[in-house]
Amino acid sequence: MRRRTATNERALSPTAPRRRFGSNGGAEAADQPLAELNPTSALSKVLRQRELANAARVGNSRSSRRAAESANAVQPVRSSARRVRPVATQVVIKPASTHSTPRSLGGGLHPLSNGQANAALRAYEERTLGAFDRVVPVLKRISALQHEPDFIAQAQRLALAELGHELPQPVLETAWTSQLDMRTLFAWCVFEAYEQTSLSFFNDDPIAAQSGSADAEAFDSFLLECGFHLLDITPCADGRLAHAIAYALRLPFSSVRRRSHAGAMFDVENTVDRWVKTEHRRYREGLPNPAHNDTRYLKVVVYHFSSKDPCHEGCAAHGSDDKAAAAQGLQRLKDFQQAVENSFCCGASVDLLLVGMDTDTDAIRVHVPGRDGSTNLEQWLDAHMVYDATRNLTADQARGRIVELVEAAAAATPDAGMVQLIARLIEHNISQIDYVRQYHGGSYSDFGHAERFIGVGIGFKEVHLRNLTYFAYMDTVEEGAPDLDVGVKIFKGLNVSRGLPIPVVLRFDYHGAVPGARERAITHCERVKSAIEARYSDLCAQGLLHTLLTVRDRDRHVPAETVSSSITFNTGGGH
């Protein structure tokens, strides 16, 4: 794959002698109907879910455009499936008072919903996921052309028009002597789609949340007003939570420290190190505020559950056991807090927050903590219930009611700043509930895994879309083997069962201000790649697992730089 340079020039990589054939930019990828899969074929459940999701995405494209023109007039669609609630005590919410401004239950968005933001996020979702989902239909059409006299020219025109890039010439040139190597072409196209996603995210700021943006600065100020100088969130690495920050919680990604882990089981020691760096910066530079200010470091765990199929589609790391996911997430939070206090002092500024997320509807439930640090695992505030309780109020009335509900749901007398922050998170999530109702019929059709590639390493700031990536955070394959094995198992069902390879993007970010950091990051990528090829040697030998090696300077707002790939071509000549 191609290298990325600091100026975003598209230079050639040693693994791909020819990447662009003749032009600096091809035609925009046209809207192409996805080819339907045969419903009688032996597809796994996850493939059927992806099929339904793709069909829904294409079917909704016209309505999505209408929504962008008149977002606040869109009618939310309620799911016909009955929600299955886990057995636990929930906060009972009384209906809104009858003196509030009436609104039809079947019409319009919730008064706190941001329809304009919903339309913008929908456009980004369709554009980005569509780039990945067009790959298979386009390659099927190219496969049917391989015995035509002008096959190469036709294939390149089709790929450029539909995918926005051309295909590797060596693969096309050998099609007349053997079957077209569809596995290599598939991996190549997925890697191209990822590179385009990274380039667009950093250059165009499609979700308008980069550092210095109006939304980021406003939220940073609000966070300090609530009494927190840093928001550190660990969602599960499951691809169904990859959009938790930008979509479900509607937070500017640049205002949040995000590090995903399987089961949300973050590394306590590494998190303590990041806490130390944060506090050191406050002492040395007064950022984001001076150390003598009375603010805290807020650590959040986001576990997940499934309302459609709670016994099978919950968190795999916890055996789809919602109670275990919540309990172990809370225990990991407490371990972090105790580690800080034991290492420094009992007054160390660390607060904790436990949040659950329904991967079918994106609705959250918050275990509101008391000021004394207590959290009740058997009690939470459900955003769906808040939505219904405030639907017929004005915006100001709804905000006031949410604050009351947050206070009532607390495990003990709550901290005022924590109440304000949770109320804001609930308000943001109301927009996401309407988003899922507007564009996905109230709940996602791909309620299981439907990721497009596996991300391995440290980084991926540009990934903010549901079911785009299964992420395996690791420094080495040895320590991250369990997470990576889960990802490979998922993709054996998604891809290998259809004869398609598993695309793995390796990523290690580095600090550009540190001499030699980029070279060490590249070496790190190559070492992990070798370990992956050794661990899954059978898949690699059959062309059923391909890797793309990327690095990124985390000190600058720049796209990932591709340094090499497992896709190589013989140049011929010599003995």
Side-chain angles (χ1 to χ4, degrees):
M1 309 302 286
R2 65 184 180 279
R3 294 181 183 271
R4 295 241 189 267
T5 66
T7 58
N8 295 328
E9 295 175 354
R10 306 174 83 83
L12 302 183
S13 166
T15 59
R18 300 189 65 187
R19 294 290 292 153
R20 295 288 179 264
F21 302 89
S23 68
N24 291 328
E28 291 288 336
D31 290 333
Q32 175 66 32
L34 297 176
E36 295 186 358
L37 298 174
N38 181 358
T40 61
S41 63
L43 295 175
S44 66
K45 180 174 66 173
V46 289
L47 290 178
R48 181 58 180 165
Q49 290 165 4
R50 177 181 283 184
E51 172 194 357
L52 293 172
N54 292 344
R57 181 158 41 250
V58 173
N60 285 336
S61 59
R62 291 183 178 179
S63 62
S64 299
R65 286 191 291 271
R66 289 196 298 270
E69 297 170 358
S70 55
N72 291 317
V74 179
Q75 304 291 323
V77 181
R78 292 185 179 274
S79 173
S80 59
R82 182 175 65 88
R83 285 176 54 78
V84 180
R85 300 284 184 185
V87 179
T89 302
Q90 298 185 43
V91 178
V92 177
I93 301 176
K94 296 180 179 180
S97 58
T98 57
H99 68 269
S100 59
T101 304
R103 290 176 63 91
S104 170
L105 289 177
L109 302 177
H110 188 284
L112 294 179
S113 276
N114 188 333
Q116 184 177 2
N118 282 1
L121 289 173
R122 175 60 172 176
Y124 177 62
E125 177 189 16
E126 287 190 314
R127 181 172 65 253
T128 305
L129 294 183
F132 289 88
D133 295 341
R134 281 192 295 271
V135 170
V136 168
V138 169
L139 290 184
K140 285 182 177 180
R141 293 168 62 186
I142 289 175
S143 178
L145 299 172
Q146 60 184 301
H147 299 299
E148 295 292 326
D150 57 344
F151 162 64
I152 294 178
Q154 287 193 54
Q156 296 291 30
R157 283 196 299 268
L158 180 58
L160 187 60
E162 301 293 342
L163 302 178
H165 61 82
E166 293 186 330
L167 302 176
Q169 194 84 357
V171 175
L172 302 181
E173 289 174 345
T174 58
W176 72 277
T177 59
S178 60
Q179 277 295 108
L180 188 61
D181 187 353
M182 301 306 298
R183 293 176 178 176
T184 296
L185 289 181
F186 175 81
W188 176 281
C189 292
V190 170
F191 292 154
E192 280 281 352
Y194 160 73
E195 290 177 327
Q196 292 172 1
T197 297
S198 182
L199 191 67
S200 172
F201 182 85
F202 287 101
N203 288 350
D204 304 331
D205 193 23
I207 56 179
Q210 69 183 29
S211 181
S213 65
D215 287 347
E217 292 188 349
F219 182 77
D220 290 345
S221 297
F222 169 74
L223 192 65
L224 286 173
E225 291 171 4
C226 291
F228 304 107
H229 55 259
L230 193 135
L231 181 56
D232 183 346
I233 300 180
T234 294
C236 180
D238 190 307
R240 294 170 293 175
L241 277 76
H243 67 315
I245 304 301
Y247 281 70
L249 299 178
R250 298 294 172 94
L251 299 176
F253 70 87
S254 59
S255 300
V256 178
R257 176 177 288 169
R258 178 187 67 165
R259 189 66 62 88
S260 301
H261 290 269
M265 295 289 98
F266 62 89
D267 186 284
V268 173
E269 286 78 6
N270 285 344
T271 307
V272 171
D273 288 343
R274 289 196 294 274
W275 176 85
V276 171
K277 292 178 181 178
T278 299
E279 300 308 311
H280 182 265
R281 192 180 187 198
R282 293 180 69 213
Y283 275 99
R284 295 285 295 178
E285 302 177 42
L287 296 174
N289 64 343
H292 63 264
N293 286 7
D294 186 19
T295 56
R296 288 95 66 202
Y297 182 111
L298 179 59
K299 179 63 185 178
V300 183
V301 155
V302 181
Y303 68 93
H304 64 100
F305 57 95
S306 168
S307 56
K308 278 186 175 180
D309 191 358
C311 296
H312 301 93
E313 295 296 346
C315 183
H318 299 290
S320 288
D321 186 333
D322 302 346
K323 288 187 175 181
Q328 293 182 37
L330 178 59
Q331 186 58 53
R332 191 57 58 98
L333 287 171
K334 290 181 176 179
D335 290 345
F336 164 61
Q337 185 180 57
Q338 184 175 351
V340 171
E341 293 181 352
N342 290 348
S343 302
F344 296 90
C345 67
C346 60
S349 54
V350 172
D351 274 9
L352 312 174
L353 181 61
L354 182 66
V355 177
M357 179 175 161
D358 181 359
T359 54
D360 302 325
T361 67
D362 284 348
I364 63 171
R365 61 190 191 193
V366 184
H367 299 261
V368 184
R371 183 181 300 166
D372 59 1
S374 59
T375 296
N376 188 345
L377 288 173
E378 301 301 322
Q379 180 172 300
W380 57 75
L381 184 59
D382 184 281
H384 260 309
M385 299 175 71
V386 175
Y387 184 106
D388 293 337
T390 58
R391 181 176 179 78
N392 295 328
L393 303 177
T394 65
D396 289 340
Q397 289 171 337
R399 290 190 178 97
R401 180 64 174 147
I402 291 174
V403 170
E404 295 173 357
L405 294 172
V406 173
E407 292 174 339
T413 302
D415 172 77
M418 180 70 80
V419 169
Q420 292 300 319
L421 176 61
I422 293 174
R424 182 67 64 90
L425 296 180
I426 292 286
E427 178 180 338
H428 288 180
N429 190 240
I430 284 174
S431 288
Q432 186 63 14
I433 291 173
D434 269 339
Y435 179 92
V436 177
R437 289 179 176 182
Q438 286 177 265
Y439 304 116
H440 297 281
S443 62
Y444 293 103
S445 56
D446 57 338
F447 57 90
H449 289 280
E451 292 91 339
R452 277 65 175 180
F453 65 91
I454 297 177
V456 172
I458 301 173
F460 294 100
K461 180 174 285 190
E462 65 270 41
V463 173
H464 290 280
L465 287 169
R466 183 180 185 276
N467 262 341
L468 174 60
T469 311
Y470 173 88
F471 183 59
Y473 168 79
M474 66 179 69
D475 273 322
T476 64
V477 169
E478 291 76 16
E479 68 174 356
D483 289 356
L484 187 55
D485 287 345
V486 170
V488 170
K489 181 179 179 181
I490 290 169
F491 273 82
K492 282 182 177 179
L494 291 172
N495 287 16
V496 176
S497 63
R498 293 189 292 168
L500 296 175
I502 302 172
V504 178
V505 179
L506 279 70
R507 169 75 160 276
F508 287 95
D509 290 355
Y510 63 92
H511 290 286
V514 178
R518 178 181 176 275
E519 289 70 24
R520 286 189 290 272
I522 294 174
T523 301
H524 205 160
C525 275
E526 292 171 343
R527 183 167 59 248
V528 172
K529 174 195 173 186
S530 297
I532 289 175
E533 291 175 344
R535 188 174 186 85
Y536 309 107
S537 57
D538 290 345
L539 291 173
C540 293
Q542 300 174 64
L544 288 172
L545 191 152
H546 278 290
T547 54
L548 179 74
L549 279 61
T550 68
V551 296
R552 194 182 79 84
D553 183 354
R554 66 176 66 190
D555 294 336
R556 297 188 297 143
H557 193 77
V558 294
E561 174 193 357
T562 293
V563 295
S564 67
S565 167
S566 61
I567 301 175
T568 59
F569 307 108
N570 293 323
T571 57
H575 294 281

